[in-house]
Amino acid sequence: MPKLTVEGLGEFEVAEGKRLVLALTDDAAVDQLHACGGNARCTTCRVEVVEGEPDQITVAEQETLQARE
């Protein structure tokens, strides 16, 4: 089962395939401002992947990464 580590809060097990913003709000109880419903459209979330790689990436995430190149 994937694990989410939130600095200052701890480590949380989350369901496979669950959107990060929903894992933050549901599992870690972080009051994360978001208006996109976990679809990477509003660009308010900022995360850093420090270990591992996501199995899937959304089109919006791909476009954002390509725009930064």
Side-chain angles (χ1 to χ4, degrees):
M1 182 169 282
K3 292 185 181 179
L4 169 65
T5 303
V6 180
E7 193 172 288
L9 290 180
E11 191 172 89
F12 306 88
E13 288 190 356
V14 298
E16 184 78 33
K18 188 170 196 173
R19 298 207 180 265
L20 178 58
V21 70
L22 299 178
L24 284 168
T25 57
D26 298 346
D27 301 311
V30 172
D31 186 16
Q32 175 66 47
L33 174 66
H34 69 285
C36 68
N39 293 303
R41 299 264 187 246
C42 64
T43 67
T44 53
C45 298
R46 298 289 185 267
V47 298
E48 178 183 6
V49 177
V50 294
E51 184 178 321
E53 291 291 328
D55 292 333
Q56 298 177 348
I57 188 167
T58 67
V59 171
E61 291 167 333
Q62 290 172 353
E63 290 171 354
T64 299
L65 289 171
Q66 289 173 351
R68 293 183 182 176
E69 292 178 352

